[in-house]
Amino acid sequence: MDQITMNRTSDRELVQMGGLHAYLEHEEGSSITIENRDFEVIHTEYNHPTGLDALTVQNLETGEYTVVFVGTDVESKYGMQDVKTNVQLLTGPTPAQLEAGVAYVESVQVELGIEVESLAGNSLGGSLANAAAVAFPHMRAVTLNPAPLPAGLLDPDTEYENMTNYLTENDILTTALRAGRIAHQVPGKHVEIYQGVPGLAQLVPNHTGYIKDGNRHVPTLTIGEYGQPGYGHIYMDADRHIVTSIWTGQPLYGQRSERIQIDYEQLSLLGAGLEPAVIDRLTLAQTYLTHAMDIVEHQRTQKHRRVNELREAFLDMFEQLADRQLLFNIHLPHNELKKIIQRLHTLLDQAEAQCASLDILLNSPPMELVESLFNTSVDVASLFAPVRNYLYELEEKVDELSSYVNELIMDKVEDLLKGGQKVFLDVVVDELAAHHELVGRNQEQVLTQVKEFRSQVSQTASEFEYVDHQITDAVRQGGTVGLSGPVQSTNIVTLEESPYMLYFMKFKELHRNMAIEGFRLSTYPIVVTLVGAIDFVLGSIKLGAEAIQLAIREDSRLGRKVQLADTALRTFFNYESQVIAAVNRAREQLDDFIDTVQGLRNGLSMLQDNYPTLVNKLRPYVDSALFRQEDYQNVYFYNHAARSLIRESEVVFDDVYYHFQMNRAKSIRMLREVSNNVVGNLQVLDEQVKRCSTG
């Protein structure tokens, strides 16, 4: 059996094997390269009747052997057995696939004459790895988002210290296990890592820890569209988010690394290790935050477009509040209502013309005789003047409504972007911009402080070594001891506090709701008043027209007088048919007139009744106008990814501070003070970035 070296396969490598390479269908004899180390696939087990898929790999540097179990793969030959096994993990005795997994580990050792050192897997594969680790306690299992084990397989009094389970914060399975209170059925240590971004589209990579395109590894999640502001990539690989001690390489989550003795060698190691462990992380976080700010700035430049789209949506919905396009172009002077009023004028003129011809007949010598006999006047033309005056008043009221709708579109709709507050004109964009600008300044200060700390550590290490040699020479030969050169000065940094984004990313929804409610409360009473005034005038017009109809109705006193006059004077004149024809023509015009007026009243009543519904339907348009939803989500993603890196940097620096704590040397105490200040600043930065990555 090959000699195993001390540089054993790391948790990072095992996580990548279980979350990525297990799903890439490696064949026997193929190689896997992880962080410049090569592994060879020496055995595979695919298409087992229980659904088991596994492979055995050897670390070619250390000689270690690892069994990697494949998670659920419904597309494989026995994929439905995986589904069955997942159900049995929760409901039944030990599934056949778990027993087959233990048998595979045993058989591969016997068949190949090897000793398996470690086990790895993701999801169902993680459950298989842990089940094997229960059977073989001398093997260590490292899993990523594992499925639980059957309760009957576990001993509640056993700690299972040979198992480490890395759980990504956005994993749906881990969330479900915790919600169902069965997370304890994942034995061993639970270590949460800050991988992935929230979102339905990321459910699979958040669970497996990696993005795959077919049989190809894709290390990043693409954000936005190429060539557009904010376009970029977020690194998704789970193993990148396992934070280890700069000195020991030991994973740091939830525990302290073994305390070391600080000397110039350890300081040199710290100075060199800060670059990949912290500076690279913070630099990448800065890139993410810059992308987020680019999106915010782009939204700022798009304000005119956002407002116009909201105006168009509002006008379109407003015009549809009434039937027959009564409100078409209501915001313009020559709108559909004005056209209908002009038609009313025409109908009234035509009815009046018919009545004028009736007046000629009624004022003829025979009818004058009738008037003298009955001592009454039969002039009806005078009834039209009040109705015409009401039409002129109606035009004025419609103009008032049109003017107010135009005000709504040009001013009130734009005010929706204020979100119900008075500080910002474009509240979501402006507050996000102000917060990101402040966070950007703080981020730069922290990054500069860490770089200066690295220089301070490296220079202190050099001086330790130099002074040590100087003291040795002085003891041997006599002489004095001095420094070889200047050391980076100590800078204690205080970050700016942010008064922005206090409601986190929920603040967009909050401002949208405030804007909608304020818009409804301020505009609805005015709309009701204006429509009510129009309806009152329309009612007066209708009453006037009905009065004219009554005056000329065939069975009215005029008709009876005509019949009497015609009976008395039939031998000389025949007026009856002429008068009735004129009356009918006038009545037809007035019927059309009254129907049109009633149609207007009905349509405007719909406007009044449906306006609150319009305001409510405006909600998604206001949401988009405040900040385009896809871009808002991308700002959220970038901040979430940046925060993960900031929290990981905090974990590293907290470990650095821990190792400096017990050293009494004044130079180390000063480094301890700076490292503690960096930890505090990273916590402040974390809290500020959290505001744009939560909610």
Side-chain angles (χ1 to χ4, degrees), residues 315-361:
L315 177 59
D316 182 60
M317 287 191 288
F318 195 95
E319 289 178 340
Q320 295 179 41
L321 286 178
D323 291 335
R324 298 183 296 176
Q325 291 192 317
L326 293 181
L327 300 175
F328 183 67
N329 282 339
I330 185 62
H331 62 303
L332 301 176
H334 302 291
N335 51 68
E336 191 65 24
L337 275 179
K338 294 292 285 292
K339 292 179 181 178
I340 294 173
I341 293 172
Q342 291 304 313
R343 183 168 180 271
L344 288 175
H345 274 293
T346 301
L347 290 173
L348 191 65
D349 289 344
Q350 291 172 349
E352 187 176 26
Q354 296 302 325
C355 286
S357 65
L358 181 61
D359 278 347
I360 293 174
L361 291 171

Side-chain angles (χ1 to χ4, degrees), residues 441-478:
R441 293 192 296 270
N442 284 344
Q443 166 79 16
E444 183 61 37
Q445 283 200 77
V446 172
L447 184 56
T448 299
Q449 185 183 29
V450 172
K451 290 179 178 178
E452 290 178 350
F453 179 78
R454 176 193 57 183
S455 298
Q456 200 173 32
V457 167
S458 298
Q459 291 165 4
T460 300
S462 297
E463 291 305 320
F464 267 35
E465 184 177 22
Y466 178 77
V467 170
D468 184 51
H469 290 309
Q470 288 280 299
I471 291 174
T472 302
D473 292 343
V475 170
R476 287 177 180 172
Q477 304 172 8

